[in-house]
Amino acid sequence: MTDLFQQAVLVSMFAATIRIAAPLLLVSIGELVVQRAGIWFLGVEGSMLMAAFVAYFSAVSSDSLYVGLLAGMATGVVVHLSMAIAAVTLKINQFVTGLGINLLASGLTLFLYRENLRAYDSGHIPTVTPFETVPITGLSQLPILGEILFDQHLFTYFAFAMVGVVWAFLYRTRFGLEIRALGENPKALDTKGLSVSRRQYSALAFGGLMAGLAGSVLVLALTDRFVPGMTGGRGWLAIVIIIAGNWKPLPVLAAVLVFAFLEAFQIQAQGVGVQIPYQLLLALPYIGAIIVMMGVKVRSEQPAHLGVPYHRE
Amino acid sequence: MSNSPPLLKVTGLTKTFGPVVANSDVSFEVERGEILCLLGENGAGKSTLSSCLYGFYRPDGGRIFYDGKEVSFASPRDAIALGIGMVHQHFVLVPPMTVLENIVLGSRDSGLALDLGEARKEVHELCERYDIDLELDTKVWQLSVGQQQWVEIVKVLFLGAELLILDEPTAVLTPQESAKLFRILRRMTDNNLSIIMISHKLDEVLQSDHVAVLRKGNIVDTVRTSDVTKEDLTSMMVGRPVMLQAEREEIDPGETILEVTGLRIRNDKDQQAVKGMSFKVHAHEILGIAGVSGNGQNELFEALMGVRDTDSGQIWLYGDEVTHHGPEQMIKHGVGYIPDDRFKAGLVGEFSLAENAILGLQSNPSFADGPVLNTRRILDFAQDAIQKFGIVTPGPHARTDTLSGGNAQKIILAREFWSATCCILANQPTRGLDVGVIEYVHQMLLEKRREGFAIVLASEELEDIFALSDRIAVVFKGEIMGVFRTDEIDIEQVGLLMAGQRLDAKETKQDAHVTI
Amino acid sequence: MSQYKLSKRVEIGTAGVLLQAAVAITMAFLASGILLAILGFDPWEALDALRIGAMGDWESVQGSMVHAAPLAFTGLAASFAFRARIWSIGQEGQFFAGAMMAYFFTTIVQLPAILMVPLVILAGMLGGSLIGGLCGVLKSRFDVNIIVSTVMLNYIIVYLLSYLLTSRIWMAPGEYYVQSARVPKSSHLPDMFANTDLHIGVGLAILTVLAMHFVVNRTTFGFGLRAFGDNQVAARFKGINPKRMTVIVMLISGALAGLGGMVQTFGVDFRVSQTFLTGYGSAGLIIAVIAGLRPLSVGLVALLFGGLANGGLFMQVMADVSSAIISAMQAIILMFFLITSVLFQYRIKRVTSDD
């Protein structure tokens, strides 16, 4: 292999890392805010999957990517808010509810997918024309870095920007202080007359927007169609990422990049025909998740009140 | 009567929880610049009343007037807007945040951005005016409970409170810290602030201007503090004369049962919580452990029961080393444990009374045939315990989390006194109980002492410690500041030791006094 | 001032639970009917086909029982772990592992049926408890969150099976579908009675339900398990070692799920493939929750879900509704169950009350 070829492989692998990171980053940043607000939401996988499903069929039937995008984001918000009703208002066990949302999403999307396909010619699965990348003038011409960082989808730039936005929100605004306090001791807000549930609803709505966007990006930018179960554990990885990132935005970004790299590596390795069973490559992120969890011991920022419904007395 | 209306006037306030009447027809007034004390036992309705006064609960009936105008609160926000602030008994602080962040949490004065500069100046002024020491950039979890109390008070002042409600504010303070608290409260009343203080500690109640005595949700009487004595207040509070001191007969201690040498233990945050403790407890002896909670008592008890690892040092029982024996073995050795938080560490809420009565003893041949539980004998045992300990319950099948604190504590006593054969470890055994049950617990401990048990008793209530202990060990920051025979030392000296001050060797009981 | 407010009941009692489950299931059927109507099906026709397929005659009842057996095992596995408040969602992977381990043994040993059947039963338990125990050890030794390790292993196991098949290690030569060769006749679970389709896996499921009921409620171990589940701190003070308990619970829970995979493979499919084994773990989670984690109720709910699965196949043929609706319906039942559980916890009372 020539050096030039090796360089091309590496560049495309890193570019793929950044591209693949986008949906994972979006969903993780959303879940970060949700967990900081004290809600332990395990249904992100389902929320993303539903959003991807709705985004796909809306885009196909309206022939507009933007309609699909909006519908996908709205779906994420609706699913997350149903968690808010269950967990915040009705105070149902958060673990079971999150799990139920995942199972409902996978069952419903599979069934509806099969039924919806009947509307199209047999054997012909409709596709969308995915969003194009948007090179940033000037920066994208940079050697190597330009191709890796600055010839990406708009969503990718947005996802990375959101890390900074959420960081600033959590640590530099009064609302962020309140959200952080919520996960630690909601009574500290309640006794000052500040509504706990309104803030938790808001946090979940934001999480839903991010998960909805992430699901939409999967079908509208990274591929061109919906496949049942296509989120493939990304929602669960988001939960691993938040633990590994110790509930802090920048370490969460780092963890996202690690998992995105594993996936990019897997695609690249399959592409160049490495002599490893492809199933092992596919399983890499999941094996990686367990190994990461074995290594990460710091849980200092885990919200003390995470997953505990708030009751007055 | 002055011309201006009282700052707060409550008439006919009633609050019920389902069938339980927490407050009925409560009426009282607070003038500007005075301290009113609400005195009552646990369960008399003090906390419910205060929660109604600052909008956390909605009263079912009655009227509240503030500054002469009738008001009603939909949420604490309304009460805060009027100038009513609440200092909770169980602090509502956010431990990983700084003192300053805790104080400004929820205020919107300087818009969306979190700009602490302005707030810092304001908090500084408040602290100076009332002579409160606070490190604003320290994280709250690093503070002692006494310091956390100041944070709570400044939090309320920062919101602009004119009327402060303090729920059991001295529960976690050393005697000297309480004295300081009252000096600060007086400074506040001099500045025309008013204070409602909730307490069951008579010494402190006597420092207020008026006392309203609550019993079973009603105000029995409101009196001027200078007109009454401790004994008057006690009988008003309990409704009958109370023996304030349990009778502790003189018994010579026997052989050494429990011995601890050089014990070092780390807490959950991996810091040294117990730094080389050594002591002995003999048969027929109660060793009192005096200290503000959080000075290593819990870690010590956990290590003694075998649920927490020790770094170094040994634990001995009858001269045999039992240092790394787990809880199962310690129970078998005949050590009983009464935990400080009964519903957290002593009972399983979803279990029936009968199941809790044998928790930890389920494999004991008395309650199981091999691996199978003997339900009959378990129920018989529970039935006995209900009778012997006077547990008020529908029956042995009742779910434990429906029981009151006193009845729950009696299940623990029944169980531990049955299984313990030589040693009882009692960590805050009377916390949150009413006077009747407290007397009962005291009597039971003294009876065990008579029978020849070695008893370790930790309590924040120095009166309990002095009433029951043969010797007193004072702990501060994980160290034993000294072990004294009860008649060698007095409450003020213990208070100083609890605050970390060593006693001057020459200082005797006669000239020791509060100097902070 | 008088208000109407909800006050919480402490316990709702057995009758309450049954009523609640009935309400939830009825509402779930209604919702599914509406969904079918929206998609242009005749909901009456479809749901009637479901009913006939599930319990139209003795044969379909037997079919439902056969479908229920593996579900009872995964339901027991989930309820056992949840009873200890160990949030394992690894039943899916353990189910696969049980089937795969038992299959593996058939590829290396040949024995007469009288020995082969017990061997595959033990191998099924071994496979499941290896995976479950691994997660238990990861938790105890390395503090790896059980949810994370079990979910990740669910994915990993599926890839492992995919590898064993597509690499042709387990696939018969010339086979078109991605599935293993058939297991030897000697390892098939025999029928319990003549002239029925009920293989001994069904009897094993019933026995296991009864045994788990006894273990949880009547033994010192079950006592410790329940104490640990409700209050770990108190249980620890009373001599229950949390690390040991976590590993033991995960071993047993895994063995139960593994038995389920074995029963499905050696009683029904006689081959292993991803499509044959998918969905039992997640159904088991739902069954456990609806059954209130009580083993006897798990048996009943598993029967209901077995009927759904069995009837779903008939419905696909008769009403042309994709049988994928069954997993959606299971989740819908769960959601309605959760909602009704809240409503049944409260009763409307005059006067205010806070809890």
PDB file of all heavy atoms in Angstrom, chain C residues 14-32:
ATOM      1  N   THR C  14     -55.197  -8.509  45.875  1.00  0.00           N
ATOM      2  CA  THR C  14     -55.180  -9.385  44.700  1.00  0.00           C
ATOM      3  C   THR C  14     -56.325  -9.072  43.754  1.00  0.00           C
ATOM      4  O   THR C  14     -56.138  -9.006  42.541  1.00  0.00           O
ATOM      5  CB  THR C  14     -55.282 -10.864  45.147  1.00  0.00           C
ATOM      6  OG1 THR C  14     -54.397 -11.040  46.250  1.00  0.00           O
ATOM      7  CG2 THR C  14     -54.904 -11.787  44.023  1.00  0.00           C
ATOM      8  N   ALA C  15     -57.515  -8.868  44.306  1.00  0.00           N
ATOM      9  CA  ALA C  15     -58.657  -8.581  43.450  1.00  0.00           C
ATOM     10  C   ALA C  15     -58.410  -7.303  42.658  1.00  0.00           C
ATOM     11  O   ALA C  15     -58.702  -7.231  41.462  1.00  0.00           O
ATOM     12  CB  ALA C  15     -59.925  -8.439  44.297  1.00  0.00           C
ATOM     13  N   GLY C  16     -57.838  -6.333  43.326  1.00  0.00           N
ATOM     14  CA  GLY C  16     -57.524  -5.074  42.653  1.00  0.00           C
ATOM     15  C   GLY C  16     -56.557  -5.279  41.510  1.00  0.00           C
ATOM     16  O   GLY C  16     -56.728  -4.733  40.415  1.00  0.00           O
ATOM     17  N   VAL C  17     -55.527  -6.098  41.739  1.00  0.00           N
ATOM     18  CA  VAL C  17     -54.531  -6.342  40.695  1.00  0.00           C
ATOM     19  C   VAL C  17     -55.183  -7.008  39.489  1.00  0.00           C
ATOM     20  O   VAL C  17     -54.947  -6.625  38.336  1.00  0.00           O
ATOM     21  CB  VAL C  17     -53.396  -7.230  41.242  1.00  0.00           C
ATOM     22  CG1 VAL C  17     -52.467  -7.647  40.116  1.00  0.00           C
ATOM     23  CG2 VAL C  17     -52.626  -6.490  42.314  1.00  0.00           C
ATOM     24  N   LEU C  18     -56.031  -8.014  39.760  1.00  0.00           N
ATOM     25  CA  LEU C  18     -56.679  -8.718  38.656  1.00  0.00           C
ATOM     26  C   LEU C  18     -57.573  -7.776  37.862  1.00  0.00           C
ATOM     27  O   LEU C  18     -57.548  -7.771  36.625  1.00  0.00           O
ATOM     28  CB  LEU C  18     -57.500  -9.893  39.202  1.00  0.00           C
ATOM     29  CG  LEU C  18     -56.663 -11.058  39.717  1.00  0.00           C
ATOM     30  CD1 LEU C  18     -57.551 -12.152  40.291  1.00  0.00           C
ATOM     31  CD2 LEU C  18     -55.793 -11.624  38.594  1.00  0.00           C
ATOM     32  N   LEU C  19     -58.342  -6.960  38.597  1.00  0.00           N
ATOM     33  CA  LEU C  19     -59.223  -6.014  37.929  1.00  0.00           C
ATOM     34  C   LEU C  19     -58.411  -5.045  37.086  1.00  0.00           C
ATOM     35  O   LEU C  19     -58.740  -4.755  35.929  1.00  0.00           O
ATOM     36  CB  LEU C  19     -60.042  -5.254  38.980  1.00  0.00           C
ATOM     37  CG  LEU C  19     -61.048  -4.248  38.414  1.00  0.00           C
ATOM     38  CD1 LEU C  19     -62.109  -4.965  37.592  1.00  0.00           C
ATOM     39  CD2 LEU C  19     -61.697  -3.460  39.545  1.00  0.00           C
ATOM     40  N   GLN C  20     -57.311  -4.594  37.682  1.00  0.00           N
ATOM     41  CA  GLN C  20     -56.476  -3.644  36.969  1.00  0.00           C
ATOM     42  C   GLN C  20     -55.920  -4.262  35.690  1.00  0.00           C
ATOM     43  O   GLN C  20     -55.945  -3.640  34.620  1.00  0.00           O
ATOM     44  CB  GLN C  20     -55.323  -3.206  37.877  1.00  0.00           C
ATOM     45  CG  GLN C  20     -54.432  -2.171  37.244  1.00  0.00           C
ATOM     46  CD  GLN C  20     -53.004  -2.306  37.720  1.00  0.00           C
ATOM     47  OE1 GLN C  20     -52.759  -2.715  38.852  1.00  0.00           O
ATOM     48  NE2 GLN C  20     -52.080  -1.958  36.872  1.00  0.00           N
ATOM     49  N   ALA C  21     -55.420  -5.508  35.788  1.00  0.00           N
ATOM     50  CA  ALA C  21     -54.883  -6.169  34.604  1.00  0.00           C
ATOM     51  C   ALA C  21     -55.976  -6.316  33.554  1.00  0.00           C
ATOM     52  O   ALA C  21     -55.743  -6.083  32.353  1.00  0.00           O
ATOM     53  CB  ALA C  21     -54.307  -7.533  34.988  1.00  0.00           C
ATOM     54  N   ALA C  22     -57.190  -6.662  34.001  1.00  0.00           N
ATOM     55  CA  ALA C  22     -58.287  -6.837  33.057  1.00  0.00           C
ATOM     56  C   ALA C  22     -58.592  -5.515  32.342  1.00  0.00           C
ATOM     57  O   ALA C  22     -58.762  -5.480  31.111  1.00  0.00           O
ATOM     58  CB  ALA C  22     -59.537  -7.345  33.791  1.00  0.00           C
ATOM     59  N   VAL C  23     -58.627  -4.437  33.114  1.00  0.00           N
ATOM     60  CA  VAL C  23     -58.897  -3.133  32.498  1.00  0.00           C
ATOM     61  C   VAL C  23     -57.805  -2.781  31.495  1.00  0.00           C
ATOM     62  O   VAL C  23     -58.081  -2.343  30.371  1.00  0.00           O
ATOM     63  CB  VAL C  23     -59.005  -2.042  33.596  1.00  0.00           C
ATOM     64  CG1 VAL C  23     -59.036  -0.653  32.975  1.00  0.00           C
ATOM     65  CG2 VAL C  23     -60.239  -2.264  34.444  1.00  0.00           C
ATOM     66  N   ALA C  24     -56.551  -2.990  31.900  1.00  0.00           N
ATOM     67  CA  ALA C  24     -55.439  -2.638  31.023  1.00  0.00           C
ATOM     68  C   ALA C  24     -55.493  -3.439  29.731  1.00  0.00           C
ATOM     69  O   ALA C  24     -55.294  -2.898  28.632  1.00  0.00           O
ATOM     70  CB  ALA C  24     -54.111  -2.880  31.748  1.00  0.00           C
ATOM     71  N   ILE C  25     -55.780  -4.735  29.848  1.00  0.00           N
ATOM     72  CA  ILE C  25     -55.795  -5.582  28.654  1.00  0.00           C
ATOM     73  C   ILE C  25     -56.949  -5.184  27.739  1.00  0.00           C
ATOM     74  O   ILE C  25     -56.788  -5.090  26.512  1.00  0.00           O
ATOM     75  CB  ILE C  25     -55.866  -7.070  29.070  1.00  0.00           C
ATOM     76  CG1 ILE C  25     -54.534  -7.475  29.703  1.00  0.00           C
ATOM     77  CG2 ILE C  25     -56.193  -7.956  27.883  1.00  0.00           C
ATOM     78  CD1 ILE C  25     -54.583  -8.760  30.487  1.00  0.00           C
ATOM     79  N   THR C  26     -58.105  -4.910  28.339  1.00  0.00           N
ATOM     80  CA  THR C  26     -59.237  -4.472  27.533  1.00  0.00           C
ATOM     81  C   THR C  26     -58.901  -3.190  26.770  1.00  0.00           C
ATOM     82  O   THR C  26     -59.157  -3.069  25.569  1.00  0.00           O
ATOM     83  CB  THR C  26     -60.464  -4.219  28.442  1.00  0.00           C
ATOM     84  OG1 THR C  26     -60.616  -5.331  29.302  1.00  0.00           O
ATOM     85  CG2 THR C  26     -61.710  -4.019  27.612  1.00  0.00           C
ATOM     86  N   MET C  27     -58.307  -2.242  27.494  1.00  0.00           N
ATOM     87  CA  MET C  27     -57.962  -0.977  26.848  1.00  0.00           C
ATOM     88  C   MET C  27     -56.933  -1.200  25.740  1.00  0.00           C
ATOM     89  O   MET C  27     -57.001  -0.566  24.678  1.00  0.00           O
ATOM     90  CB  MET C  27     -57.419   0.012  27.885  1.00  0.00           C
ATOM     91  CG  MET C  27     -58.508   0.585  28.782  1.00  0.00           C
ATOM     92  SD  MET C  27     -57.829   1.465  30.208  1.00  0.00           S
ATOM     93  CE  MET C  27     -57.331   2.991  29.431  1.00  0.00           C
ATOM     94  N   ALA C  28     -55.990  -2.109  25.979  1.00  0.00           N
ATOM     95  CA  ALA C  28     -54.970  -2.369  24.972  1.00  0.00           C
ATOM     96  C   ALA C  28     -55.601  -2.979  23.721  1.00  0.00           C
ATOM     97  O   ALA C  28     -55.230  -2.637  22.587  1.00  0.00           O
ATOM     98  CB  ALA C  28     -53.895  -3.295  25.542  1.00  0.00           C
ATOM     99  N   PHE C  29     -56.577  -3.881  23.907  1.00  0.00           N
ATOM    100  CA  PHE C  29     -57.254  -4.468  22.747  1.00  0.00           C
ATOM    101  C   PHE C  29     -58.025  -3.394  21.989  1.00  0.00           C
ATOM    102  O   PHE C  29     -58.021  -3.369  20.763  1.00  0.00           O
ATOM    103  CB  PHE C  29     -58.182  -5.602  23.184  1.00  0.00           C
ATOM    104  CG  PHE C  29     -57.473  -6.924  23.240  1.00  0.00           C
ATOM    105  CD1 PHE C  29     -56.866  -7.366  24.399  1.00  0.00           C
ATOM    106  CD2 PHE C  29     -57.392  -7.721  22.104  1.00  0.00           C
ATOM    107  CE1 PHE C  29     -56.200  -8.566  24.440  1.00  0.00           C
ATOM    108  CE2 PHE C  29     -56.728  -8.932  22.142  1.00  0.00           C
ATOM    109  CZ  PHE C  29     -56.120  -9.361  23.317  1.00  0.00           C
ATOM    110  N   LEU C  30     -58.682  -2.514  22.742  1.00  0.00           N
ATOM    111  CA  LEU C  30     -59.400  -1.413  22.102  1.00  0.00           C
ATOM    112  C   LEU C  30     -58.459  -0.575  21.251  1.00  0.00           C
ATOM    113  O   LEU C  30     -58.735  -0.282  20.072  1.00  0.00           O
ATOM    114  CB  LEU C  30     -60.015  -0.515  23.187  1.00  0.00           C
ATOM    115  CG  LEU C  30     -61.491  -0.738  23.503  1.00  0.00           C
ATOM    116  CD1 LEU C  30     -61.895   0.085  24.720  1.00  0.00           C
ATOM    117  CD2 LEU C  30     -62.322  -0.349  22.280  1.00  0.00           C
ATOM    118  N   ALA C  31     -57.326  -0.214  21.868  1.00  0.00           N
ATOM    119  CA  ALA C  31     -56.363   0.623  21.148  1.00  0.00           C
ATOM    120  C   ALA C  31     -55.852  -0.089  19.906  1.00  0.00           C
ATOM    121  O   ALA C  31     -55.730   0.515  18.830  1.00  0.00           O
ATOM    122  CB  ALA C  31     -55.204   0.990  22.078  1.00  0.00           C
ATOM    123  N   SER C  32     -55.577  -1.388  20.044  1.00  0.00           N
ATOM    124  CA  SER C  32     -55.086  -2.137  18.887  1.00  0.00           C
ATOM    125  C   SER C  32     -56.155  -2.199  17.801  1.00  0.00           C
ATOM    126  O   SER C  32     -55.845  -2.114  16.598  1.00  0.00           O
ATOM    127  CB  SER C  32     -54.688  -3.550  19.302  1.00  0.00           C
ATOM    128  OG  SER C  32     -53.840  -3.510  20.408  1.00  0.00           O
TER     129      SER C  32
END
